[in-house]
């Protein structure tokens, strides 16, 4: 049975940060896909971070101060609905299992919230995240205000609960790191399978199917984002979604795919030759991106600034673009004028966690923040060369990205996706070898 001690600990930490007041954190609604078919349900990341509770129609209330309390609102048991949709915990079992002080029926929210809010100095909430919740929360506040003559006061201080939660989520605890390691391992295996399954004549969607199968077979509930499986020129479309083309000998295949396991994302990109051998030009570009990625990873360590890995990648790539005749030197001019952006137009990474582009500020007081142990980020430089005047034709339609997931450790960093092959020799020994 899952241990919910980390969630109890996170709730305590949020209460300590709040000092006084009440936090209201609802989960995500179920969403219709078409007519009466739903999208597969995915909980809200903040709510799940604090509770581990997986059902829709649920909300957490945390009261801070001298008498801290945690209240979970969730669906009542309902034998009729459970016959169709499966088990619901119901408040009684949920209280026990998820370690909250109280649990109540979700249907009691409107009745109970005004009383809970009365006399609280502050409300911590995520304004603007969901218009329906905004209306409902304002309704509760107005109901408390309407009782002013009975001496009740509504919170005068409305704060964004995400400020504290984003900062907490930025530092992964041991249980989160353990899940993320396993997610990384599953995604690594999926990439290995995809490399083995690649050969001329196969299609992008066959490789996509291979990845999704590998995720689910290993117990991951979802892809963390829809996989990008981009052959040839498609690799130069940064958010390519079609995954519908045939794979051709002589072209590269760029695969950006990661699973979501127990709420946590992994995010890996590898690029390999469809026919199993890099051409001389592909090799030059690939080695350049790999060198940029290695330089960026070497800049991930406590005390280094968020933008240092990006700066390292840009410098390596820009020098390469000059050497290959893609940009005109000198190097400093290419960097300062951002001429390199013709071939490298995105940033080198992002925080990773419950969301693939995870919560957490990148700057503090206007400065790029320093990396600290427990932070998890991606390092993902690339090079995308579209047909254009002045660009030597042999480079056209070459797209390469290499992406790993990196944990900041006390002594430097650990690449948790390191077992996904990325050297040319390793890749060439795997592609097409089913
Ligand atoms: N797969 C999304 C990203 O790399 O940011
Ligand atoms: Mn990424
Ligand atoms: Mn990615």
């Amino acid at each position: 049975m899952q241990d919910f001690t980390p969630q109890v600990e996170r709730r305590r930490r949020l209460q300590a940060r709040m000092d006084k007041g009440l936090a209201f954190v609802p989960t995500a609604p179920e969403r219709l896909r078409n007519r009466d078919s739903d999208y597969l349900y995915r909980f809200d990341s903040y709510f799940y971070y604090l509770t581990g509770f997986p059902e829709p129609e649920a909300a957490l209330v945390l009261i801070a101060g001298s008498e801290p309390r945690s209240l979970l609102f969730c669906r009542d048991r309902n034998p009729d609905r459970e016959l169709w949709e499966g088990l619901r915990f119901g408040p009684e079992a949920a209280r026990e299992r998820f370690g909250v002080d109280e649990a109540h029926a979700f249907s009691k929210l409107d009745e109970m919230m005004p009383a809970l809010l009365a006399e609280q100095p502050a409300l911590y909430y995520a304004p603007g995240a969901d218009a329906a919740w905004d209306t409902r929360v304002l309704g509760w506040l107005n109901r408390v205000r309407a009782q002013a003559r009975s001496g009740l006061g509504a919170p005068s201080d409305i704060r964004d609960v995400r400020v504290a939660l984003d900062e907490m989520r930025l530092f992964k605890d041991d249980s989160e790191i353990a899940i993320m390691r396993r997610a990384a391992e599953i995604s690594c295996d999926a990439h290995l399978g995809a490399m083995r399954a690649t050969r001329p004549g196969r299609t992008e969607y066959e490789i996509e199917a291979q990845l999704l199968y590998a995720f689910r077979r290993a117990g991951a509930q979802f892809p963390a984002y829809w996989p990008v499986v981009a052959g040839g020129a498609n690799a130069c479309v940064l958010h390519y979604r079609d995954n519908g083309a045939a794979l051709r000998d002589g072209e590269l295949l760029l695969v950006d795919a990661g699973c979501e396991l127990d709420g946590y994302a992994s995010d890996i990109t590898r690029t390999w030759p469809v026919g199993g051998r890099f051409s001389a030009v592909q090799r030059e570009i690939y080695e350049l991106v790999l060198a940029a990625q290695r330089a960026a990873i070497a800049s991930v360590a406590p005390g280094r600034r968020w933008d240092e890995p990006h700066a390292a990648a840009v410098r390596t790539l820009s020098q390469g673009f000059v050497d290959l005749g893609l940009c005109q030197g000198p190097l400093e001019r290419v960097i300062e004028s951002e001429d390199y952006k013709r071939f490298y137009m995105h940033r080198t990474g992002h925080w990773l966690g419950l969301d693939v582009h995870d919560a957490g500020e990148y700057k503090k007081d206007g400065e790029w923040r320093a990396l600290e142990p427990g932070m998890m980020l991606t390092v993902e430089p690339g090079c995308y060369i579209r047909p254009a005047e002045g660009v030597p034709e042999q480079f056209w339609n070459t797209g390469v990205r290499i992406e790993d997931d990196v944990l900041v450790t006390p002594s430097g960093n650990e690449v948790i996706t390191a077992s996904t092959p990325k050297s040319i020799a390793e890749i060439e020994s795997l592609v097409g070898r089913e």
Side-chain angles (χ1 to χ4, degrees), residues 256 267 350 356-357 378 380 403:
D256 184 346
D267 187 4
H350 48 84
V356 65
H357 298 159
T378 67
E380 49 178 305
E403 173 174 30

Side-chain angles (χ1 to χ4, degrees), residues 259-290:
C259 70
E260 179 182 301
L261 178 72
D262 299 343
Y264 286 84
S266 53
D267 187 4
I268 303 179
T269 307
R270 290 292 184 266
T271 309
W272 59 85
V274 170
R277 286 269 170 267
F278 285 87
S279 72
V281 167
Q282 289 166 350
R283 184 176 287 262
E284 281 184 312
I285 300 296
Y286 188 88
E287 291 286 19
L288 174 59
V289 175
L290 188 56

Side-chain angles (χ1 to χ4, degrees), residues 154-338:
S156 55
D157 195 2
I158 313 285
R159 301 206 191 179
D160 196 325
V161 71
R162 290 169 293 195
V163 174
L165 282 174
D166 286 354
E167 194 62 19
M168 287 169 61
R169 283 177 53 184
L170 197 45
F171 296 88
K172 273 61 185 178
D173 60 34
D174 289 348
S175 71
E176 294 180 290
I177 291 171
I179 299 170
M180 292 186 78
R181 281 188 202 287
R182 176 69 189 132
E185 197 180 349
I186 294 170
S187 298
C188 165
D189 283 348
H191 275 259
L192 280 171
M195 285 179 195
R196 291 185 192 283
T198 299
R199 66 179 59 117
R202 287 234 159 118
T203 54
E204 292 169 342
Y205 56 82
E206 285 176 271
I207 304 305
E208 175 191 292
Q210 175 80 29
L211 292 157
L212 297 175
Y213 170 62
F215 293 164
R216 195 70 187 109
R217 182 185 51 187
Q221 292 84 355
F222 299 100
Y225 51 91
W226 203 255
V228 175
V229 183
N234 297 335
C236 296
V237 179
L238 294 181
H239 289 162
Y240 180 67
R241 299 293 292 269
D242 268 9
N243 298 352
L247 300 175
R248 289 195 297 255
D249 201 7
E251 292 184 337
L252 291 176
L253 175 63
L254 183 155
V255 170
D256 184 346
C259 70
E260 179 182 301
L261 178 72
D262 299 343
Y264 286 84
S266 53
D267 187 4
I268 303 179
T269 307
R270 290 292 184 266
T271 309
W272 59 85
V274 170
R277 286 269 170 267
F278 285 87
S279 72
V281 167
Q282 289 166 350
R283 184 176 287 262
E284 281 184 312
I285 300 296
Y286 188 88
E287 291 286 19
L288 174 59
V289 175
L290 188 56
Q293 205 224 16
R294 293 212 158 109
I297 291 173
S299 315
V300 175
R304 307 293 290 265
R305 302 264 151 210
W306 164 260
D307 68 330
E308 287 189 52
H310 180 63
V314 164
R315 179 161 287 273
T316 306
L317 287 169
S318 298
Q319 181 63 60
F321 297 157
V322 171
D323 296 343
L324 293 168
L326 289 162
C327 289
Q328 292 304 310
L331 172 64
E332 296 307 330
R333 194 202 63 82
V334 174
I335 295 173
E336 266 155 44
S337 67
E338 300 188 335

